[in-house]
Amino acid sequence: MTAPTHPLPTEPTPGPPQPAPASVPAPHAAESTPAAGPALHPAESTSASVPAPASRKGSQPDRGAASSSPVPGPAVQQRPAVDPARWPDVAAPPRASRLRTALAERIVRRALARLPLRARLAGAEDIGLGGPLMEIREPEAFFRRIGASGLIGFGESYMAGEWDAPDLVAVLTVLAGNAADLVPAPLQRLRPLWALRKPAAQLNTPEGSRENISRHYDLSNDLFALFLDGTLSYSSAVFRSLPATQDLLPAAQHRKIDLLLDAAGVGEGTRLLEIGTGWGELALRAAARGARVVSVTLSAEQRELARTRIREAGYEDRVEVRLCDYRQVTGAYDAVVSVEMIEAVGEEFWPVYFTALDRLLAPGGRVALQAITMPDDRLRASRSTYTWIHKYIFPGGLLPSTEAIERVTTGHTRLRTVRRSGYGAHYAETLRLWRERFTERSAQVDALGFDAVFRRMWTFYLAYSEAGFRSGYLDVQQLLLTRDQSPAQEAL
């Protein structure tokens, strides 16, 4: 996912430090050690034979009693009740100096005035050139949050119900499409002085990666099952045509998987390594082709359900699901496939990740990746910024650019990209279908113990990710990499 996921200026991808229930990646984010989201998902399967995901066992985060607050939908909703114990940074606007708040208000008003939308403040004053409506109910709190923490405050203000929109995706798409110009150039150059920095605790060391992944993918198998299709695929589908409908999603997810398996040459007897198991769909589909699969994940919840699905499908003898980090894998494989997992690796570890792929690939082998990408200039500008996505959805995540992948593979490995296909519009449709199903099943989300603030957070995450793809700010690509066999590389 969904991803997940950085359409707006100070945001890059997929996570959070805050109330336990808030920690979850598409846009995502979004197959990192899992496998999907607006950035991490498994693969598809026939939904008929897939058991309903089991809810998380043991102690789940205390999400609070089920809420009867309305679910964010096509119409503007009432402000939700906020539990300060669970959502301390949402319950009340942060402290911010009058000067900082006034400066934020001036910058935001200036930006909104030049955009094709209508920002309505306190039901009276309208700003903008006309377009989708953004209802800012509590301007003072809205500007104070942005002044204190930039786009983290922007997202928290939505979670608090201080602003809303009848068409949230439309508003966020306008903002994403103008992301590079929302903040004046002089302030962009001063970014290191005002932008929040990523916490050291979110660094994707082996220990940090396990914690980061758990915060999203171990939230609740039942929650993901509510809005995903029966294949439990949590990454972009590839449709035959657009727009799409819910009934087409399982086949489109299988099409995505088959494209990757075909690119990697997976067939009878192939030794396949999957990095990021998700809920096991890609491994199942590969096993059906006759491949021998080793799939690795850091999510205990996903591993448990994936193994159940594999066992019930009769492929236990062909698929092994390991709870381990990609850095710990040994052996040689004819093919390596990874779906939207690189987004959770972290820039500091991209060389380690691609070096591992190079090391694990047998002579003549192929690597097929699905990756969410962002423009290289935005990556360079926001690579160290701490964002709403980091705080609440995908801790430690960062979307790469295609240029960054080329720089890393060329500088650290013998791997070279030989083919690349983009499916950004398909991800936008995938996210729309997830978001609509999530909204439709709000009562079931409540029944799992998630409150109204969580639902607004998750709705914002899915809409935010969708807007990134609809605006063209984000793309999702399938890449085929093979080992460079030039004489210079052979000598290494």
Side-chain angles (χ1 to χ4, degrees):
M1 186 248 134
T2 192
T5 327
H6 325 289
L8 305 177
T10 61
E11 303 276 69
T13 303
Q18 200 163 26
S23 331
V24 182
H28 158 110
E31 315 229 58
S32 141
T33 91
L40 288 122
H41 326 256
E44 318 182 41
S45 109
T46 71
S47 37
S49 62
V50 177
S55 60
R56 184 177 181 183
K57 295 182 175 61
S59 60
Q60 287 200 13
D62 179 10
R63 305 184 187 98
S67 167
S68 59
S69 301
V71 182
V76 172
Q77 302 298 314
Q78 296 300 313
R79 177 170 179 170
V82 182
D83 183 342
R86 297 187 182 93
W87 308 97
D89 293 346
V90 177
R95 294 180 181 178
S97 69
R98 291 184 181 179
L99 177 61
R100 194 177 180 106
T101 300
L103 179 60
E105 179 173 357
R106 180 175 179 180
I107 292 171
V108 172
R109 282 177 171 273
R110 176 178 177 274
L112 293 175
R114 296 180 289 112
L115 295 178
L117 51 69
R118 271 187 310 143
R120 177 162 296 163
L121 279 67
E125 178 188 4
D126 281 9
I127 303 174
L129 302 178
L133 175 64
M134 178 182 182
E135 190 78 58
I136 303 175
R137 299 160 169 165
E138 301 181 37
E140 182 180 351
F142 176 77
F143 292 125
R144 196 196 318 172
R145 287 188 190 271
I146 294 176
S149 53
L151 289 179
I152 292 179
F154 178 77
E156 289 176 340
S157 185
Y158 180 83
M159 293 165 67
E162 294 160 0
W163 73 271
D164 212 323
D167 189 341
L168 180 60
V169 172
V171 169
L172 294 176
T173 299
V174 170
L175 296 175
N178 294 274
D181 303 317
L182 289 179
V183 177
L187 287 182
Q188 289 279 14
R189 289 192 289 271
L190 295 175
R191 183 191 211 91
L193 299 179
W194 56 262
L196 298 176
R197 311 288 288 185
K198 294 179 186 176
Q202 289 192 8
L203 189 66
N204 285 294
T205 60
E207 299 75 20
S209 290
R210 188 179 297 274
E211 173 64 19
N212 290 340
I213 290 305
S214 178
R215 292 179 70 178
H216 188 94
Y217 295 95
D218 289 344
L219 190 66
S220 166
N221 282 340
D222 282 344
L223 174 69
F224 287 101
L226 285 178
F227 68 90
L228 300 179
D229 67 278
T231 71
L232 297 182
S233 297
Y234 188 35
S235 51
S236 179
V238 177
F239 299 93
R240 288 193 181 279
S241 62
L242 301 175
T245 54
Q246 290 285 354
D247 61 304
L248 299 176
L249 190 51
Q253 290 290 5
H254 281 157
R255 188 173 298 112
K256 175 269 304 296
I257 293 170
D258 289 343
L259 286 170
L260 289 164
L261 295 179
D262 289 346
V266 175
E268 186 69 40
T270 298
R271 296 169 297 171
L272 171 64
L273 171 65
E274 180 189 19
I275 301 179
T277 306
W279 288 277
E281 190 63 24
L282 189 145
L284 284 170
R285 207 147 176 91
R289 293 186 175 205
R292 299 283 177 175
V293 185
V294 171
S295 185
V296 299
T297 179
L298 290 180
S299 169
E301 294 296 314
Q302 288 188 323
R303 179 182 186 241
E304 181 180 357
L305 182 53
R307 293 176 75 182
T308 297
R309 297 179 69 206
I310 290 163
R311 182 176 62 255
E312 294 186 356
Y315 291 126
E316 255 187 318
D317 61 330
R318 295 187 188 178
V319 182
E320 177 188 359
V321 182
R322 300 175 184 171
L323 190 65
C324 75
D325 192 278
Y326 68 89
R327 287 162 281 210
Q328 301 170 319
V329 180
T330 59
Y333 299 87
D334 305 310
V336 179
V337 177
S338 188
V339 182
E340 295 176 21
M341 178 274 183
I342 189 175
E343 300 85 348
V345 168
E347 184 179 17
E348 303 90 341
F349 295 99
W350 286 344
V352 178
Y353 172 73
F354 282 105
T355 299
L357 299 186
D358 192 7
R359 169 177 57 82
L360 294 165
L361 197 63
R366 296 181 168 199
V367 176
L369 305 180
Q370 183 160 307
I372 300 174
T373 61
M374 67 191 301
D376 196 55
D377 61 336
R378 299 310 305 160
L379 167 63
R380 291 176 181 273
S382 62
R383 68 207 324 168
S384 61
T385 303
Y386 182 53
T387 71
W388 182 87
I389 287 287
H390 289 129
K391 183 172 183 177
Y392 289 99
I393 307 298
F394 288 112
L398 180 64
L399 302 182
S401 64
T402 54
E403 294 88 345
I405 291 174
E406 293 301 315
R407 288 193 294 268
V408 173
T409 53
T410 301
H412 297 272
T413 76
R414 297 167 292 171
L415 298 175
R416 298 294 180 269
T417 301
V418 296
R419 193 168 75 220
R420 191 170 68 223
S421 302
Y423 300 99
H426 295 254
Y427 217 152
E429 283 295 282
T430 304
L431 284 155
R432 176 181 65 81
L433 296 175
W434 291 344
R435 177 175 51 81
E436 290 175 354
R437 180 166 283 178
F438 180 82
T439 301
E440 291 165 1
R441 298 182 173 181
S442 60
Q444 290 152 281
V445 176
D446 284 351
L448 291 176
F450 295 96
D451 65 12
V453 177
F454 177 90
R455 283 191 276 106
R456 287 186 68 84
M457 177 190 76
W458 205 254
T459 298
F460 187 78
Y461 153 58
L462 294 172
Y464 179 84
S465 302
E466 181 183 342
F469 291 102
R470 293 210 180 278
S471 67
Y473 186 95
L474 301 179
D475 196 7
V476 62
Q477 303 189 37
Q478 290 191 354
L479 298 85
L480 173 62
L481 296 88
T482 59
R483 188 175 284 135
D484 184 0
Q485 298 299 330
S486 66
Q489 291 295 333
E490 287 293 335
L492 293 178

